[in-house]
């Protein structure tokens, strides 16, 4: 089981659709085939800057951006 705790309002699920199996796909020239990996990216809602009802993504000069994401694994 994996639990995800985050201060971000959403999670983007990436399926590895653009992995090609070429040596340059992975770290250290590891080879990853089409859809052989996934990624869960915590982030703001897509298109937030253009949607007034979405949480703001504006970071003004002098402000600091801070987020926390915890991936907890258990049996």
């Amino acid at each position: 089981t994996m639990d995800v705790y985050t201060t971000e309002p959403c999670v983007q699920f990436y399926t590895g659709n653009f992995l090609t199996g070429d040596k340059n796909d992975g770290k250290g020239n590891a080879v990853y085939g089409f859809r052989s990996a996934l990624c869960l990216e915590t982030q703001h809602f897509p298109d937030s800057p253009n949607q007034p009802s979405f949480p703001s993504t504006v970071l003004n000069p002098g402000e600091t951006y801070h987020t926390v994401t915890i991936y907890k694994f258990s049996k």
Side-chain angles (χ1 to χ4, degrees):
T1 303
M2 181 179 76
D3 295 311
V4 180
Y5 303 93
T6 184
T7 56
E8 294 294 333
C10 74
V11 175
Q12 178 75 27
F13 176 70
Y14 172 74
T15 59
N17 287 348
F18 296 102
L19 297 174
T20 63
D22 291 338
K23 281 200 233 177
N24 62 352
D25 275 350
K27 184 176 181 179
N29 292 326
V31 176
Y32 298 109
F34 180 68
R35 292 187 181 161
S36 64
L38 64 90
C39 183
L40 296 172
E41 302 170 339
T42 59
Q43 62 185 36
H44 280 286
F45 298 128
D47 201 31
S48 284
N50 300 308
Q51 302 299 326
S53 62
F54 288 3
S56 177
T57 56
V58 174
L59 187 66
N60 293 309
E63 294 180 338
T64 301
Y65 176 76
H66 179 79
T67 184
V68 175
T69 299
I70 299 168
Y71 296 96
K72 180 182 175 186
F73 296 90
S74 59
K75 291 183 181 183

